[in-house]
Amino acid sequence: MPIRAASRTGPRTTALLTAAGTLAYSAWLLEAVLPTGLPRATAYVSELAAEGEPYHALFRATDLLAGLLLLSAALLGLLRPSARLPWAEGRPWTLVGWSALALFAAATVADSRLPLSCTPTRDAGCAEREHSGLVPLTHSAHLVTSATATAAALLTAVALTVAARRYGIGGPVARVGTVLVAAQLAATGWTLGAVWAFDEGFGGWGLGVAQRLQLVLLALWLVVFARTLARGRDEGRPRWPS
């Protein structure tokens, strides 16, 4: 394969993996047409995959697939120079971004294997057991992996958006990534506040809405990032090493 063609193949493969992983990660949107029985305004998205829920196998499978696809994309970005954005080599913001994406993907895989044992936002007994530490180890571990995934997703978006602007890459990430990151930070703040309010018995503060907005904004950012990878060039300036 000619060198120039090979240099384009890597980013496009990474873009495809990122887009496919984002689609799988967004499978929770199927709750709009599936009779899950969970109130979308107050329930955690991860409760869709909790033990005993009617579609738990589906949502665990899609989370697992999403994590594996995004992990593959992140490893391509980190380990294969031809798959990297041109500012990846030795550029700290990009290396941090790819590493954070790998951590997010790995935490998502762990989430799928460590489901909640019950639904705390719907079941008061479950919430009490969770608060008292009387839930199974897998339930407690899920809380850790979910928090890790949230933090890593934010770091991914922040680092790669900063890199796109600071290193002159341009493209969709540079143009709209900042707005999406700011909105995602706001949605994450709302989610954290709602979680605190729920845990302290002050109501849900729209917990389900906040978390779903956070996930939609993350998915939009990932789509924009995949588009940036796939384009390869923007406004006539070289984007991929030849």
Side-chain angles (χ1 to χ4, degrees):
M1 180 183 294
I3 293 176
R4 187 176 298 275
S7 68
R8 289 196 297 267
T9 300
R12 288 175 180 173
T13 300
T14 310
L16 180 61
L17 289 167
T18 301
T22 303
L23 180 62
Y25 191 69
S26 302
W28 61 270
L29 290 167
L30 291 172
E31 69 176 358
V33 295
L34 294 175
T36 65
L38 289 171
R40 293 191 287 274
T42 56
Y44 291 111
V45 170
S46 57
E47 289 179 287
L48 293 167
E51 295 288 349
E53 292 306 297
Y55 300 100
H56 68 272
L58 169 64
F59 293 113
R60 290 179 198 176
T62 52
D63 269 1
L64 176 61
L65 178 61
L68 293 175
L69 288 168
L70 291 171
L71 183 58
S72 298
L75 292 178
L76 277 176
L78 283 168
L79 303 177
R80 284 186 54 191
S82 64
R84 294 178 179 177
L85 294 177
W87 23 263
E89 298 184 24
R91 301 297 182 99
W93 280 107
T94 308
L95 295 176
V96 168
W98 283 120
S99 299
L101 180 59
L103 178 59
F104 165 65
T108 300
V109 170
D111 266 355
S112 73
R113 303 300 89 192
L114 299 167
L116 294 173
S117 62
C118 53
T119 54
T121 63
R122 186 177 59 180
D123 180 351
C126 174
E128 179 60 32
R129 292 193 300 275
E130 185 179 85
H131 187 73
S132 303
L134 299 177
V135 289
L137 181 60
T138 52
H139 187 116
S140 300
H142 180 91
L143 303 180
V144 175
T145 56
S146 290
T148 300
T150 298
L154 272 176
L155 182 57
T156 299
V158 169
L160 291 175
T161 299
V162 169
R165 297 178 64 86
R166 176 167 293 188
Y167 304 145
I169 185 64
V173 165
R175 287 195 293 271
V176 302
T178 302
V179 174
L180 290 174
V181 167
Q184 192 178 345
L185 286 169
T188 300
W190 179 11
T191 302
L192 292 175
V195 170
W196 174 84
F198 175 75
D199 287 344
E200 296 300 319
F202 297 128
W205 288 10
L207 172 58
V209 176
Q211 190 188 36
R212 284 159 176 78
L213 176 61
Q214 179 188 18
L215 293 177
V216 166
L217 290 167
L218 170 61
L220 287 174
W221 186 91
L222 286 168
V223 168
V224 169
F225 180 59
R227 178 60 177 159
T228 302
L229 283 166
R231 286 182 64 160
R233 291 178 179 271
D234 184 57
E235 298 176 358
R237 292 175 294 183
R239 295 300 176 225
W240 314 117
S242 58

